Amino acid sequence: MTLPDTASIPAANDRTFQVDLRGLVDLLSHHLYSSPRVYLRELLQNAVDALTARHSLEPGAPADAFGIRLYADGSVVRVEDDGVGLTEDDVHTFLATIGRSSKRAERIAEQRADFIGQFGIGLLSCFLVADEIHVLSRSARTSDAPTVEWRGRGDGSYTVRTLPASARLRPGTTVTLTPRADAGEWTRPVQVHALARHFGSLLRHPVTFEDSTSGPAAAVNPEPAPWADTYPTPGARSRALAAYGKEVFGFTPLDTIELDLPAVGLKGIACVLPETVPAGRRHGHRVHVKGMLLSEQAEEILPEWAFFVRCVVDAESLRPTASRESLYEDDTLAAVRDALAERLRAWIARAAASDPDLLARFLQVHHLAVKSLAVHDDEILRMLLPWLPFETTDGHATLDEFARTHRTVLVTSSVEEFRQVAAIASAAGLGVVNGGYTYDRELVHRLPEIRPEASVADLDPATLTAHLDPVDRETELAAAAYLAQARDALAVFDCDVALRAFQPASAPALLVDSREARHERTRSQLAREQEGGVWGDILGALRQEAPRAQLILNQLNPLVRTAVTIGEPELARTSAEALYGQAAMLSRRPLRPAESSLINRSFLDLLAHALRKDS
């Protein structure tokens, strides 16, 4: 567009904004917008709104009949559109009375409900980077509409004047910014082009950019959104969506899920992350409204459990907040979130029904996400619980595989309890699942809902010891003296000692001790230490009979068979302490200070005994 020479036209009188401009700019800069770069988004939004109104005025015009043109050369930034344009009354309404409430303003807001933004605030946001804003606009509503010029300055003054017929432009609006000296990083040509691509790559109107070089204008949005394009085969479509996901998010998706909610005009894709993410870690999603990028960090578009995907969507009916950088939490957004959650569930169901290889890859990476979903979603539970991997005494296995081998499935309440019993339980033929990880114990207990023939029970010390073979009476009597010395040595740890026979024979001892038992003993110890005080009375009231740990010695182990024959009391005590310490370390639970001290002492005592024997 060739701009008219307005230098010879008499100047209009200066006016001032009916708002504190400096205060408004400070508010926009520090409290509403995340970065000065949004100025270009606001200009693009105003242009898109103007084009929307122009198409409503001329519904028969081709979709690409009207467009947006950007220009930057380092000294100015200019945005031209072929939109509906402004009359002088519009200019005063939108640019001079920001913040004023009136019936007319309310009617204007209703009329602009189908648009992205509001012209006045959007234009004034340009003062984040500009000293002066120059607007030339001509309305398309009447054929003889004049061109109106508005010029605003950072000191809060502005002028409005109507240009003569000789300076009449074609319908539309041109906004020219004179950048401030400190705003160069946002107004250089290369940055303006990058911002235009960033915010406007999915706009439905043609947008071009030109700089001060002699090259032709470059298309900002040359391609439609990939989900809006057509492809020769489903495979080509899938590859194109995956390529777009990689371009946007920087990773090759494990799979892409098409999202389509016609009720709100939403289309897009969800990209399944190819790597595990921590449970509950929510990713930002890329949300466009009517083609304009609204936010790259819109966490609220999906439920919390869907942290295994990142989405890019374009919607018609989602409501932006005042900053137009996030979504307004209302009933529409809640309904969209629920509908998108259903699309993710449907994708999981399709993979479970028709693509076991994809399901296996997905569960290998994101089993924790699916477990968190299955806890609260009975449909997902029924579909996927048999296929979810768990740590078991048979290694990592699905519950379906494990339940076929073990009719009764035992589950521990903590990781350390599983570590204590895994080797012994496996040798005894017991099927134990590690229930110490997030969601696992709760999910294993729901297995009978899916497999009624399966039985699930918590593993307790009595269950395990019942599967260990007792020794014969003569062996028990021969070891009685040693067992008495061992019980006396380990009494400080509230630990009993028993002799059994179990596999593997390489395991000299098994320490059976639950977290609850240790907590109860700790509480009892505190009560004894605080006896007579208020705190001691409280702990005493809570005190139950303190459960005892149990050190089970393995008669099949050669070291144990030798140890139970020791007649020297001190050596017997030391060997029992060493066996306890070794069993405690194998349990992989945190050692108490007294246990660490015992392990060091017993090792040194045994070493000293061996050296004395050799000397």
Side-chain angles (χ1 to χ4, degrees):
M1 178 185 294
T2 302
L3 301 182
D5 181 8
T6 60
S8 60
I9 302 174
N13 294 329
D14 281 358
R15 311 185 190 192
T16 57
F17 292 106
Q18 297 182 32
V19 68
D20 179 0
L21 181 60
R22 285 191 172 86
L24 177 61
V25 171
D26 181 73
L27 176 67
L28 297 179
S29 176
H30 294 97
H31 302 286
L32 190 63
Y33 295 129
S34 60
S35 165
R37 69 177 184 168
V38 300
Y39 83 91
L40 192 67
R41 183 197 65 195
E42 297 294 337
L43 289 177
L44 285 173
Q45 285 181 343
N46 286 339
V48 170
D49 286 348
L51 292 176
T52 301
R54 181 75 181 271
H55 278 288
S56 297
L57 191 65
E58 303 177 35
D64 59 351
F66 311 123
I68 302 170
R69 295 165 297 280
L70 288 80
Y71 174 84
D73 63 5
S75 60
V76 298
V77 175
R78 186 163 65 242
V79 178
E80 304 174 2
D81 68 68
D82 301 317
V84 72
L86 299 173
T87 65
E88 184 172 353
D89 285 344
D90 291 335
V91 168
H92 285 292
T93 299
F94 293 132
L95 302 183
T97 58
I98 303 302
R100 188 180 72 180
S101 176
S102 69
K103 294 296 183 183
R104 173 177 169 79
E106 292 171 5
R107 286 196 303 272
I108 291 171
E110 292 174 2
Q111 293 168 1
R112 296 177 61 83
D114 290 335
F115 301 155
I116 301 173
Q118 296 295 325
F119 188 89
I121 289 289
L123 190 63
L124 292 185
S125 70
C126 294
F127 281 116
L128 295 173
V129 298
D131 281 326
E132 182 176 278
I133 304 171
H134 180 223
V135 177
L136 289 172
S137 188
R138 180 174 173 235
S139 175
R141 299 186 184 280
T142 59
S143 60
D144 60 347
T147 298
V148 180
E149 180 189 57
W150 179 91
R151 192 181 298 270
R153 291 172 287 275
D155 60 5
S157 64
Y158 73 94
T159 59
V160 178
R161 58 179 173 173
T162 300
L163 303 185
S166 60
R168 184 175 296 173
L169 304 175
R170 66 185 182 186
T173 300
T174 299
V175 179
T176 303
L177 308 182
T178 302
R180 293 202 312 267
D182 61 351
E185 65 173 307
W186 306 113
T187 57
R188 288 194 299 267
V190 64
Q191 181 71 342
V192 173
H193 190 198
L195 291 176
R197 289 277 300 166
H198 180 73
F199 290 117
S201 62
L202 296 186
L203 288 175
R204 293 90 185 259
H205 307 285
V207 183
T208 61
F209 171 81
E210 187 177 359
D211 57 22
S212 55
T213 66
S214 58
V220 169
N221 53 344
E223 302 292 335
W227 49 82
D229 210 346
T230 56
Y231 302 91
T233 65
R237 182 177 184 86
S238 178
R239 289 189 293 273
L241 295 179
Y244 182 73
K246 182 177 182 179
E247 177 187 345
V248 171
F249 296 123
F251 62 82
T252 300
L254 189 67
D255 196 18
T256 55
I257 308 165
E258 288 206 55
L259 306 175
D260 187 3
L261 303 179
V264 292
L266 182 146
K267 290 181 178 292
I269 57 172
C271 297
V272 182
L273 291 161
E275 298 179 349
T276 304
V277 292
R281 177 182 173 183
R282 301 186 68 184
H283 290 285
H285 305 290
R286 191 178 178 95
V287 176
H288 299 251
V289 175
K290 299 181 178 70
M292 182 68 69
L293 178 64
L294 178 77
S295 174
E296 296 175 278
Q297 300 296 325
E299 296 181 355
E300 61 275 16
I301 195 73
L302 288 181
E304 290 186 10
W305 56 259
F307 53 84
F308 56 89
V309 297
R310 294 192 69 181
C311 291
V312 52
V313 299
D314 186 19
E316 295 286 338
S317 302
L318 293 179
R319 181 181 171 191
T321 59
S323 68
R324 293 188 285 284
E325 295 185 332
S326 59
L327 295 171
Y328 189 82
E329 188 68 47
D330 57 10
D331 291 342
T332 299
L333 178 58
V336 166
R337 184 163 50 238
D338 291 343
L340 293 180
E342 187 57 37
R343 298 296 188 275
L344 299 184
R345 291 190 186 94
W347 174 81
I348 295 174
R350 285 196 303 273
S354 60
D355 197 339
D357 290 339
L358 174 60
L359 179 67
R361 294 198 306 272
F362 171 66
L363 292 180
Q364 183 179 12
V365 176
H366 296 298
H367 59 272
L368 186 58
V370 178
K371 287 177 180 179
S372 70
L373 175 57
V375 167
H376 306 290
D377 191 307
D378 290 343
E379 182 179 353
I380 294 296
L381 180 79
R382 287 191 296 272
M383 285 190 302
L384 295 184
L385 181 59
W387 306 101
L388 290 172
F390 290 82
E391 185 180 9
T392 76
T393 47
D394 292 350
H396 282 83
T398 67
L399 281 188
D400 193 57
E401 297 168 337
F402 197 67
R404 285 200 300 266
T405 307
H406 303 280
R407 192 169 185 83
T408 298
V409 177
L410 301 172
V411 58
T412 64
S413 60
S414 68
V415 173
E416 61 195 44
E417 288 173 8
F418 179 81
R419 299 283 188 263
Q420 290 177 34
V421 305
I424 310 302
S426 178
L430 296 177
V432 183
V433 178
N434 186 349
Y437 296 115
T438 306
Y439 312 119
D440 282 14
R441 183 168 176 267
E442 183 177 353
L443 288 172
V444 173
H445 272 286
R446 297 191 66 179
L447 179 61
E449 299 176 29
I450 315 303
R451 297 282 186 269
E453 68 278 9
S455 174
V456 177
D458 286 324
L459 177 69
D460 57 35
T463 303
L464 180 62
T465 54
H467 285 78
L468 304 181
D469 296 330
V471 297
D472 57 68
R473 184 173 180 80
E474 291 75 12
T475 302
E476 184 80 34
L477 289 174
Y482 179 83
L483 295 178
Q485 293 282 355
R487 291 186 185 106
D488 184 62
L490 302 179
V492 66
F493 298 113
D494 290 310
C495 182
D496 196 8
V497 183
L499 186 64
R500 297 287 188 272
F502 55 86
Q503 294 293 341
S506 59
L510 169 67
L511 181 61
V512 180
D513 192 15
S514 68
R515 180 184 299 178
E516 291 74 14
R518 293 197 302 276
H519 286 176
E520 179 58 37
R521 292 197 300 273
T522 300
R523 184 164 57 233
S524 299
Q525 177 66 28
L526 286 173
R528 289 193 295 270
E529 293 174 356
Q530 300 288 337
E531 188 172 359
V534 175
W535 182 236
D537 292 340
I538 294 173
L539 291 174
L542 296 174
R543 182 179 177 183
Q544 306 170 6
E545 182 179 351
R548 295 172 65 81
Q550 192 171 38
L551 180 68
I552 303 175
L553 303 180
N554 187 3
Q555 175 63 19
L556 301 181
N557 182 267
L559 177 63
V560 172
R561 288 201 302 270
T562 301
V564 297
T565 64
I566 296 174
E568 183 182 338
E570 284 304 316
L571 182 58
R573 290 175 61 89
T574 300
S575 66
E577 291 173 343
L579 288 169
Y580 175 90
Q582 189 257 3
M585 288 191 295
L586 287 179
S587 72
R588 302 186 188 181
R589 64 168 172 79
L591 296 177
R592 290 175 285 178
E595 291 172 331
S596 298
S597 176
L598 173 141
I599 292 170
N600 292 331
R601 186 179 67 251
S602 63
F603 170 76
L604 294 175
D605 288 349
L606 287 175
L607 181 61
H609 176 80
L611 292 175
R612 286 197 302 271
K613 183 177 178 181
D614 290 340
S615 61

